[in-house]
Amino acid sequence: GIRQKHHIDVAFYDEKLHEKIREKGKIETHMQPALQSHEFKLFLQPKNDLKNDKIIGAEALVRWQKPDGSYRYPNEFIPLFEENGFCVNLDMYMLERVCEQIRAWIDSGIEPIPISVNQSKLLFANGNYPEVLTQLVNRYQISPSLITLEILERTAVGDFEQIRSQIDVLRSKGFKVSMDDFGSGYSSLNMLYHLNIDELKLDRGFVQKTSYGDNGRRLIILEQIISFAKKLGISTVAEGIETQTDKDTMMKLSCDYGQGYFYGHPISAEEFSERYMAVRAKKKCGSSDEK
Ligand code: C2E
Ligand code: MG
Ligand code: MG
Ligand code: MG
């Protein structure tokens, strides 16, 4: 009867839970060897100027390529890595791949574009973080202005002063700082008031029209966010631009830049270089007869 059914549900739940724990254990055993054998891949997604569609930057997004060729996406492992601390290693690894890519572009005579990198809040716990980053860009001899550090709104919740001072040091060294998923948290305006940043990325949930939300309200709020970002000298990026309508809407609201499937999906750094960067090759010396 009822009791027996209840018993079966608990057993089922238990089984699911065990499966989750086993899966977690499996990832944790494999993460370090995976990093060493370069299973974490740099993918890049274009960021474009909404006014002329020109590519003005890219965002680095990690993909875990298993030896069998299949991919794991960030949502399947980043939360766990944040929990067990491995995100620090992964983010430093990704930062290095990004510097390496920018250096490779420059070495092959290609005009580089800035790359945005997602940064775990764990990085900010280390007071040395700005110094480590500076050493990294120096080692690759690239300008820190080519690196934009994306931090989530919720990163700053907690040790507010620590984050604030680190952001100021990073910016004084020439790095750009962006607030990611803006509007998805619960203290957006507070963050904006306290932190000096270069860019705001408007959360996809805000940018895209939903069937249940009040569209009029959404647009009024977006317009005001963009307007005060402008007055504060902060540039704005709309996430999740999927359609011409998304693009037109955000442009009408005076948003500067857009990122999303409308412009391009995240693709491997190699594919990205072929598709978007080859055209940025500077003319070779000697071919000065070409106008
Ligand atoms: P995010 O930084 O907000 O990155 C944007 C996410 O939206 C990416 O998901 C991207 O693939 C997806 N996206 C881009 N355009 C569109 C669109 O038009 N429509 C829709 N529906 N989605 C779009 P992804 O690559 O799965 O990454 C998810 C999150 O994982 C990222 O969100 C970021 O917070 C985190 N992440 C990714 N790579 C790293 C990393 O190297 N380090 C750290 N700490 N976090 C990372
Ligand atoms: Mg991001
Ligand atoms: Mg985002
Ligand atoms: Mg996100």
Side-chain angles (χ1 to χ4, degrees):
I2 284 165
R3 248 190 95 184
Q4 199 172 349
K5 185 173 183 294
H6 179 72
H7 180 75
I8 289 166
D9 282 350
V10 168
F12 179 71
Y13 176 75
D14 245 37
E15 187 45 43
K16 278 266 185 224
L17 191 67
H18 276 122
E19 207 179 293
K20 263 196 149 159
I21 293 167
R22 267 199 305 274
E23 180 62 22
K24 205 167 131 170
K26 237 169 68 186
I27 296 180
E28 291 193 307
T29 331
H30 285 110
M31 58 196 186
Q32 188 58 41
L35 191 75
Q36 263 142 9
S37 51
H38 305 283
E39 287 180 24
F40 294 101
K41 304 287 182 197
L42 171 66
F43 271 53
L44 295 172
Q45 184 182 34
K47 183 165 111 185
N48 299 62
D49 190 324
L50 288 172
K51 286 190 292 294
N52 55 23
D53 292 336
K54 282 211 177 95
I55 199 167
I56 53 100
E59 178 172 8
L61 296 159
V62 66
R63 298 290 180 259
W64 186 350
Q65 189 173 25
K66 298 300 229 169
D68 68 5
S70 65
Y71 284 107
R72 269 181 190 279
Y73 292 86
N75 293 342
E76 301 170 58
F77 54 86
I78 292 284
L80 176 61
F81 290 178
E82 288 258 9
E83 204 180 288
N84 65 24
F86 191 68
C87 232
V88 172
N89 306 31
L90 179 63
D91 285 355
M92 287 314 299
Y93 178 87
M94 291 298 285
L95 274 163
E96 187 149 359
R97 300 288 79 74
V98 163
C99 291
E100 198 173 67
Q101 180 61 75
I102 292 172
R103 169 83 347 239
W105 286 336
I106 297 170
D107 285 347
S108 44
I110 287 166
E111 174 87 46
I113 55 174
I115 301 184
S116 302
V117 202
N118 293 288
Q119 302 289 272
S120 159
K121 65 164 178 280
L122 299 175
L123 291 166
F124 290 85
N126 179 354
N128 262 342
Y129 170 58
E131 189 49 40
V132 170
L133 274 190
T134 304
Q135 282 170 14
L136 185 67
V137 293
N138 286 345
R139 183 143 56 83
Y140 283 90
Q141 297 196 312
I142 62 171
S143 164
S145 65
L146 287 169
I147 306 284
T148 299
L149 306 161
E150 289 195 4
I151 59 167
L152 289 167
E153 216 175 62
R154 61 181 153 83
T155 295
V157 180
D159 202 349
F160 203 70
E161 270 313 312
Q162 162 102 336
I163 303 278
R164 192 226 297 257
S165 64
Q166 301 238 43
I167 286 178
D168 289 346
V169 175
L170 286 162
R171 292 183 75 232
S172 74
K173 289 181 183 289
F175 295 97
K176 298 274 187 281
V177 176
S178 171
M179 196 177 288
D180 203 354
D181 294 1
F182 187 79
S184 66
Y186 32 80
S187 50
S188 311
L189 292 181
N190 195 31
M191 297 295 117
L192 202 53
Y193 174 56
H194 287 284
L195 305 177
N196 291 311
I197 52 162
D198 301 280
E199 179 189 273
L200 265 194
K201 292 189 93 165
L202 302 162
D203 191 63
R204 182 165 84 226
F206 237 131
V207 168
Q208 292 174 347
K209 190 174 171 178
T210 54
S211 47
Y212 54 87
D214 180 334
N215 205 37
R217 277 166 92 99
R218 182 179 68 90
L219 296 181
I220 288 167
I221 294 167
L222 273 175
E223 185 176 22
Q224 291 310 311
I225 293 174
I226 292 163
S227 157
F228 60 61
K230 278 222 149 54
K231 287 174 190 156
L232 292 167
I234 299 169
S235 58
T236 46
V237 186
E239 289 186 338
I241 298 289
E242 290 184 3
T243 63
Q244 181 75 48
T245 310
D246 293 340
K247 185 198 138 172
D248 291 343
T249 305
M250 294 315 295
M251 200 166 50
K252 256 185 236 147
L253 297 172
S254 299
C255 183
D256 302 307
Y257 311 118
Q259 201 183 311
Y261 302 159
F262 177 79
Y263 287 115
H265 286 254
I267 49 178
S268 74
E270 296 78 32
E271 263 183 274
F272 186 95
S273 300
E274 282 168 34
R275 193 177 303 176
Y276 301 108
M277 301 302 285
V279 294
R280 299 176 64 89
K282 289 177 208 136
K283 290 211 179 90
K284 295 213 172 64
C285 314
S287 57
S288 51
D289 48 314
E290 283 172 51
K291 284 269 152 69

